Structures are given as structure tokens and as C-alpha cells.
Amino acid sequence: MKGITRISLFAMTLLFPSLILGLCTSLSSSFPGKVLFPSDSGYNDSISSYFFLNQQQNPTCIVAPSDANEVAEIVRSVVSHGPGSQKVAIRSGGHSPNRGFSNANHGVTIDLRGLDKIEMHEFNAGIVSVGTGALWIDVSDFLDPLNRTAVGSRVASVGIGGFITGEGGISFFSPRYGFSCDNVQNMQVVLANGTTINANATSNPRLFRALKGGQNNFGIVTRFDIKTYPQPGFWGGAIQYPESSDVAQLSAFRGFKQGPYDPFSEIEQTFVYFGSQKTFSSTNNLFYSKPGVNESNLRPFIDIQPQISNTIRISQPSDFALELEKFQPTDSFSTWATISFPISGNILSKVHSKWKSATSALASSHPNITAVLTFQSIPPPPTADSPPNSMPFTSSSTPHKDLVLTLLTFYWTEEKESQSMNSGVIKLAQSLQVLTGNNTRFEYLNYAGGWQDPIGGYGTATREELRQVAKLYDPSGFFQKSVNGGFKLY
């Protein structure tokens, strides 16, 4: 009997490609004009539109729904085809560097970019309804003329869906308003059984919490209803400095973290190595969102000299987001990793020194890499009277004051370098965890490498709650077993 089972499983693996092709053929029949095969002219355009080369894989087909009803029908079709054909990836913006998180090699990629409608909520003033396939630059372009803003991505091309569900999202305005997910009032969700429901503080509240940091483990969010806030033009921009300013930079960031907290101040301090130029430098992206401008706690960064360039000005979110987009290397392979640690003593200098040493070592065998080390703050958690998220901070904790959120980003251009680059970055991240004492288990999911365990950092009780929610809303485990990518619960 066991032999028959093994033979059956082996036979099933041989059938998988034909089963997936059969599913794609069925989807093409049900959704004419909305399914792309490798022979179709739009297929390569879709594959090449991912931000990182890591995601440029070869799905058997790409299906592009236009609304939530079509998403529900597609999910029902996929599930009904049974095991073997259920190799699926879900794409919103396609900005993650983790391979397979938003594209299914030899599977079915559900491309949600057609769900990009944006409108002010008809019955609830100040709420903007955003389709999960929109980009944050689309939201800014929509809200800027109204002198309003949403707590969204600082980089123009980032998509809505993964940004919000992948642990909340950090914004220009997060020091004041928290994570992006904490400003969502409602999510429209397609479940594994093909039904569409709303999740909010009063309807499906456990699912609502789980989706704020639980990523793609529960359903496909097709629309977000998001709070907006009045926001005229505000102060901000980028200042680039030479390597000689590193000591002053680290001192200024330590003072910023240990000084009085100002909810209008937001900074990303970034150290960069450009392999093409064989140079280290740094850049501070600085923002002060209070009208009238009082950037006093950012003054130490502004005063650092010499400066290579300075774009500080009064402008709007869309303009700042497009500027930050320019700093992102394109047509590259990339890997990310993240750690968080308490601000204390000279810990910033130790982390910076180890990153610089490891970068130089990697550059000796990968001469054209770009390496980035970024320090920033974690947003404040929801207040006691607000709907909770899945993250491990209570209303009484102060991660925004105490912790440094650290992002390691490496870019390279040749796929043959990927294995050794990934290994080197993992080794660096693990050594930094040891260096910083690993006292803070928090790994920000939107920055986490595929090998990390950010959901484990939520704590045992929260992880178990997320598992129970997943089993409640997806009892067959479709999103655990059949949907590629993300950090799974079981």
C-alpha cells in the first residue's frame, strides 16, 4: 500500500505542469482577454514590470482581474481544480525582493493591478477607498490637490496591498499617526471559498487585526478604506554627505533618538556603498510635517558639513515620493534583511562599523554591488481605544522612542552572484543580531528577508491567534499550502 502511495505521489508530480496548464486554459475560457500565456505579447511586459529582477520568473499564465467579483471567481476556479494545479502567487505592486512572493514560476500569477480604483468614500467624509492594485503615487496624486494625505508609502512605486498587510507600512506621517494599517477603517476581502466579506472593527474583527501584519495568510484584500488627514505642503527633502561625515551622522541620529519625541519629525538615515564608484557616502531623508515648519530636532542633520547635495524644500507627498524613487536602483537583483535594537551607548557606531567591514569584504568578490544601511524609527502603536494590529507592541509600549529599525539592502546585476550575495547578507544580519544582543525579536515584515521569521517575533500568543484565524477563514489551508510567498503560519 505504501508503495502504491509513493508511486501515486510520483505520478502526481509529473502531472503538475499539465494540471496547471489545464487550469490556465480553463481560466482563459472563463475570462477571455484577461489571461496571458508566454506566447502573448503582454506576457513579457508583465514579467518585466516587477521592481526587482528576482521576481522576473515564468508563470504558466498570468490572470488579471478587473474587480473583486472576478477575483472571487478566479479563486473559486483555482480551488475547484484541486491539488496539483494550485500553485498561485498574488501580485499587488510587485515590490518585494523575496523571490516567489508575488510571482509563481510555472504556476498561476493573479495580477491585481487592474483593481486600481481610487475614490473618496461616498458616505464617510475623509475616507478614501483604494483598490489593492493601485500604487501609492496614485493615491498621493489623487489626494494632493485636495490638500489631504493618507499614511502610505514614502516610495512612489510601492503597491497598496503588500505594504499594508505586510506589517503595517511606514509613512512620512507615521510618527504622528502610526503604521499605515492602523489608519485603515475597512478591508474588502475575498476568502478561499470565493466569498467576499468586509473586515473592520465591528465586522470580522479578528480577521481585521490578523490582516494588519499577517500578510497573505487569510484571503485576498481587494479594497482598503483608509483615513485621510488635512495636509498642506510640508518641509522635507534629501541631503547627501561624504564618508567623512559618518561620525557626525551617527552622533546626530543618537541625539535624535534620545531627545524629546516630536511626532512631526521623520527621518531615514542611510549609509551607502556604490561599487561602481568605490565610494561610501550617506543620505538623510528628512521630513517635518507640521505647517509653518519647526524642524528644530532635525537641525543637527541639516548643519552637518560638507554636503554633496541638498533638496530641502516645501512640497507635497507625491513630489517627495518621486524623489525617493530616484534613489532606488533599478534592473537589479536584491536582498533585504532587518533587525531592531534599543538605542544605547555607541551601538549605532558598532552596527555601522560591522556593516562597512562586511560590505568591503563582499565588494572584493562582487565589485559592482550597491550596499545600503538604513536607520529609522518604528511608528507608535495604536492607542488603547483603537483597533489593534498583529504587531508585538501594546498601547503602553514606546518602540518609536526606544528602538532603532535597521534595514540592510544589497543590489547586484548578475544572477550568478545571487547565491553568494544572499549568503553574505544572511551572515551579516545574523552577526548584527548577536552584536546588538538580540534583545528585541521584532523583525519588520516589510523589510524581512525570506529566510527570517518576522511573524515569530510577534510572540507565541499572537502567532497562535493568527493560526486560529487562518483556520477559521481558510479551513482547507489554501493560502498556507497553495499560495506562494509570504511568511506562512503552519
Side-chain angles (χ1 to χ4, degrees):
M1 186 68 179
K2 290 182 179 179
I4 294 174
T5 301
R6 284 197 295 269
I7 292 171
S8 298
L9 290 174
F10 176 71
M12 183 65 77
T13 62
L14 295 178
L15 285 172
F16 279 0
S18 60
L19 289 171
I20 293 171
L21 180 58
L23 170 60
C24 287
T25 302
S26 175
L27 290 170
S28 181
S29 176
S30 300
F31 303 96
K34 295 188 176 183
V35 178
L36 296 173
F37 291 89
S39 58
D40 294 326
S41 59
Y43 180 92
N44 287 334
D45 291 338
S46 177
I47 297 302
S48 63
S49 66
Y50 285 86
F51 195 85
F52 297 107
L53 296 179
N54 311 46
Q55 298 292 1
Q56 293 188 11
Q57 301 180 78
N58 299 295
T60 303
C61 69
I62 302 165
V63 55
S66 301
D67 56 38
N69 290 333
E70 289 185 349
V71 173
E73 291 178 36
I74 289 166
V75 169
R76 284 194 291 270
S77 295
V78 172
V79 171
S80 69
H81 269 71
S85 62
Q86 297 179 6
K87 183 179 180 183
V88 180
I90 301 165
R91 176 186 183 175
S92 176
H95 202 274
S96 172
N98 290 321
R99 191 171 179 85
F101 270 38
S102 56
N103 205 0
N105 202 37
H106 306 303
V108 178
T109 295
I110 302 175
D111 185 344
L112 301 177
R113 289 180 297 162
L115 281 72
D116 59 355
K117 186 176 181 180
I118 303 172
E119 59 183 355
M120 293 304 291
H121 200 285
E122 184 178 356
F123 303 108
N124 196 342
I127 302 297
V128 65
S129 294
V130 183
T132 194
L135 302 179
W136 280 107
I137 187 61
D138 302 325
V139 179
S140 294
D141 284 343
F142 180 87
L143 293 175
D144 281 357
L146 305 176
N147 285 323
R148 300 192 73 86
T149 195
V151 181
S153 174
R154 296 163 295 192
V155 177
S157 66
V158 171
I160 302 295
F163 179 82
I164 293 177
T165 62
E167 209 165 72
I170 300 176
S171 165
F172 300 123
F173 313 104
S174 284
R176 192 172 8 154
Y177 300 125
F179 286 99
S180 182
C181 68
D182 295 326
N183 294 274
V184 175
Q185 299 294 287
N186 178 71
M187 302 184 195
Q188 182 188 69
V189 190
V190 172
L191 302 179
N193 63 7
T195 61
T196 303
I197 64 172
N198 287 304
N200 52 55
T202 57
S203 179
N204 301 294
R206 290 178 69 191
L207 177 62
F208 187 46
R209 179 192 178 190
L211 286 166
K212 294 187 287 185
Q215 215 178 36
N216 64 354
N217 284 295
F218 314 98
I220 301 176
V221 182
T222 53
R223 192 192 75 233
F224 298 86
D225 299 328
I226 307 169
K227 281 184 188 176
T228 67
Y229 301 92
Q231 182 63 56
F234 61 103
W235 180 97
I239 306 177
Q240 186 181 11
Y241 315 80
E243 182 183 5
S244 60
S245 77
D246 284 359
V247 172
Q249 297 289 355
L250 294 165
S251 176
F253 193 85
R254 183 173 65 250
F256 172 80
K257 288 294 295 180
Q258 294 179 331
Y261 183 73
D262 187 335
F264 295 95
S265 295
E266 203 274 331
I267 176 173
E268 297 168 88
Q269 182 173 86
T270 298
F271 298 90
V272 186
Y273 173 76
F274 293 106
S276 58
Q277 303 169 18
K278 306 295 186 288
T279 59
F280 286 92
S281 64
S282 61
T283 299
N284 290 322
N285 297 306
L286 304 163
F287 303 96
Y288 197 83
S289 60
K290 187 175 184 178
V293 184
N294 175 16
E295 81 300 346
S296 56
N297 70 335
L298 298 175
R299 179 55 54 179
F301 302 101
I302 304 167
D303 290 343
I304 294 173
Q305 297 291 335
Q307 298 178 2
I308 298 171
S309 62
N310 184 323
T311 69
I312 297 296
R313 62 203 185 277
I314 302 294
S315 195
Q316 294 181 304
S318 58
D319 182 41
F320 291 129
L322 289 169
E323 178 177 68
L324 285 170
E325 182 86 9
K326 294 177 183 177
F327 287 103
Q328 311 298 310
T330 57
D331 299 323
S332 298
F333 294 91
S334 180
T335 190
W336 293 352
T338 185
I339 63 168
S340 300
F341 55 86
I343 184 71
S344 63
N346 62 348
I347 189 63
L348 293 173
S349 297
K350 290 181 178 180
V351 170
H352 174 261
S353 178
K354 184 169 281 292
W355 166 81
K356 201 169 182 181
S357 176
T359 294
S360 296
L362 282 168
S364 66
S365 53
H366 305 279
N368 293 316
I369 64 169
T370 297
V372 182
L373 169 69
T374 301
F375 295 136
Q376 59 187 302
S377 293
I378 295 170
T383 59
D385 58 351
S386 298
N389 58 41
S390 295
M391 283 163 272
F393 307 114
T394 65
S395 59
S396 61
S397 59
T398 56
H400 49 301
K401 298 178 182 179
D402 304 331
L403 300 180
V404 178
L405 175 58
T406 303
L407 170 63
L408 306 170
T409 318
F410 286 77
Y411 305 88
W412 61 96
T413 57
E414 299 292 332
E415 187 168 15
K416 63 184 179 183
E417 300 178 278
S418 295
Q419 183 174 350
S420 58
M421 282 298 303
N422 284 322
S423 297
V425 174
I426 291 172
K427 182 178 179 181
L428 170 59
Q430 291 174 336
S431 70
L432 290 177
Q433 288 174 332
V434 173
L435 174 68
T436 57
N438 202 25
N439 295 322
T440 302
R441 182 64 181 78
F442 181 68
E443 296 170 344
Y444 178 54
L445 191 149
N446 278 352
Y447 292 169
W451 55 275
Q452 296 190 283
D453 181 24
I455 293 179
Y458 296 171
T460 302
T462 298
R463 186 168 196 161
E464 181 57 30
E465 166 66 7
L466 295 180
R467 285 174 173 165
Q468 293 303 317
V469 173
K471 291 176 180 178
L472 177 64
Y473 287 90
D474 179 19
S476 67
F478 172 72
F479 287 98
Q480 301 300 309
K481 304 170 186 175
S482 301
V483 174
N484 278 11
F487 297 94
K488 300 305 183 185
L489 297 170
Y490 59 87

